[in-house]
Amino acid sequence: HHSTGEDRLEAIEQMLSLSRKEFGRVGKVGLPVLVEVLTLERDEHVILAVLDVMMTLVTISPTIAESKTLAIGHVDYLLNCNNLIEKLLLLLKQQKLWMRFKSIQLLRVMAETRSSETGSAVMKQDAGMMRLVEALNDSREEVRNELIILLRHLTETKEEIQQFCAFSQVFKRLLDIMRHEGLYVVFSRISIVFLSHIITRISLKSREYHCNL
């Protein structure tokens, strides 16, 4: 006999398998259910399985017809689910590697597709950006690398996020990590692009200030 949690896990794993063949149908029918399960679920295995299905549904696949249009539609749906963004940020409090990593990974793919809208959704949450930035203290490369790619996408288009990063501890934290780990790791290369967005923002603000004097 299966427990309720095991039944849910099995159903979600079947949905994951089906999503690779019935991309659009699973997205249309399954996303509302997945969002509800994720926001209410406490079982770690079920949460990770839900995140896997969501990742599949927001990722553009070269083997699936119309996957770009469908994936963008899936991202738009998720961005309109306020509870989902809040749940993903809450999962960052979890110390377990894959819980943090997959939450950030999903946000990263959403930001690649809808940078400004994802930034707005995070900013709407209570201390949303601060919760992302605090995850930089995670010493595990998988988490930090994924997070810095997410932050890079968010700072490309969102001025409020550029300003937040410029005047918070993000700048110092990234420089400390690069000094500690050297400039040859992937993290540092990504960090330099991210830092360039912040520096550009500071330079523009400085020029605006002097022009207005």
Side-chain angles (χ1 to χ4, degrees), residues 73-108:
H74 297 159
V75 169
D76 288 340
Y77 177 83
L78 293 178
L79 285 172
N80 286 317
C81 298
N82 190 57
N83 290 343
L84 173 82
I85 303 300
E86 171 63 17
K87 179 67 175 185
L88 293 177
L89 293 173
L90 279 174
L91 290 176
L92 296 183
K93 291 184 177 180
Q94 299 280 340
Q95 293 303 311
K96 292 187 177 179
L97 170 63
W98 294 113
M99 198 73 84
R100 275 191 169 191
F101 173 77
K102 290 189 177 185
S103 301
I104 296 169
Q105 185 182 47
L106 181 58
L107 284 168
R108 188 261 301 165

Side-chain angles (χ1 to χ4, degrees), residues 173-184:
R173 178 66 183 139
L174 291 178
L175 290 175
D176 287 345
I177 293 169
M178 285 193 289
R179 273 197 296 266
H180 181 261
E181 297 188 3
L183 288 172
Y184 300 101

Side-chain angles (χ1 to χ4, degrees), residues 102-138:
K102 290 189 177 185
S103 301
I104 296 169
Q105 185 182 47
L106 181 58
L107 284 168
R108 188 261 301 165
V109 174
M110 291 166 68
E112 285 178 355
T113 304
R114 296 288 198 205
S115 173
S116 180
E117 293 83 353
T118 303
S120 295
V122 171
M123 294 285 283
K124 283 178 186 175
Q125 304 305 315
D126 184 36
M129 278 305 300
M130 185 58 70
R131 285 191 267 178
L132 280 182
V133 168
E134 284 173 354
L136 280 174
N137 294 322
D138 197 312

Side-chain angles (χ1 to χ4, degrees), residues 15-46:
M15 192 181 291
L16 177 60
S17 177
L18 188 61
S19 67
R20 298 186 180 107
K21 306 167 190 172
E22 299 285 346
F23 193 74
R25 190 157 66 92
V26 171
K28 185 176 181 180
V29 177
L31 273 179
V33 177
L34 291 169
V35 170
E36 184 177 357
V37 171
L38 187 65
T39 53
L40 300 175
E41 187 59 58
R42 293 175 179 269
D43 184 282
E44 175 190 345
H45 300 292
V46 174

Side-chain angles (χ1 to χ4, degrees), residues 7-16 34 37 46 49-50 53:
D7 288 338
R8 277 201 300 274
L9 181 58
E10 187 175 314
I12 292 165
E13 287 175 344
Q14 288 175 0
M15 192 181 291
L16 177 60
L34 291 169
V37 171
V46 174
V50 169
V53 182

Side-chain angles (χ1 to χ4, degrees), residues 89 92 100 104 107 122-123 126-139 143-144 147-148 150-152 154-155 160-174 177 187 194 198:
L89 293 173
L92 296 183
R100 275 191 169 191
I104 296 169
L107 284 168
V122 171
M123 294 285 283
D126 184 36
M129 278 305 300
M130 185 58 70
R131 285 191 267 178
L132 280 182
V133 168
E134 284 173 354
L136 280 174
N137 294 322
D138 197 312
S139 61
V143 173
R144 283 195 326 215
L147 179 58
I148 203 66
L150 167 60
L151 291 172
R152 189 192 75 191
L154 295 181
T155 54
E160 300 98 312
I161 295 177
Q162 292 171 348
Q163 290 175 347
F164 176 88
C165 291
F167 299 104
S168 68
Q169 291 296 309
V170 178
F171 199 91
K172 181 179 181 300
R173 178 66 183 139
L174 291 178
I177 293 169
F187 176 86
F194 171 47
I198 300 175

